[in-house]
Amino acid sequence: MNDTPSIDGDPPPLIWRKSRASNASGDCVEIASLPDGGVAVRDSKNPQGPHLRFSASEWGAFIGGAKAGEFDSPSM
């Protein structure tokens, strides 16, 4: 990510990306790296809408939980 401020002093725009495993329907989330090491998350169908911001430690805990299966649907 380019951390160079723009001429007017605003932070640079975020660079959003989708997973390579995204489906063609476009129903995905996108993430962007933040200058402080955190991560922003948004709905790809609404790129101008709100986004969530997570610190590096929060994002790490989420990714660790996802890898460990903490968010898997319960078996029926």
Side-chain angles (χ1 to χ4, degrees):
M1 182 173 152
N2 180 359
D3 291 330
T4 306
S6 62
I7 293 173
D8 59 8
D10 289 337
L14 298 176
I15 300 170
W16 295 94
R17 63 186 189 275
K18 289 185 207 178
S19 168
R20 290 183 298 257
S22 297
N23 62 31
S25 71
D27 295 339
C28 307
V29 296
E30 296 176 318
I31 64 169
S33 297
L34 299 173
D36 65 1
V39 173
V41 179
R42 72 179 182 188
D43 182 347
S44 66
K45 296 182 306 299
N46 187 12
Q48 300 305 318
H51 59 269
L52 303 173
R53 290 178 175 248
F54 299 94
S55 68
S57 61
E58 290 168 331
W59 187 249
F62 170 73
I63 294 299
K67 288 179 179 180
E70 290 180 25
F71 309 114
D72 293 352
S73 296
S75 301
M76 308 267 323

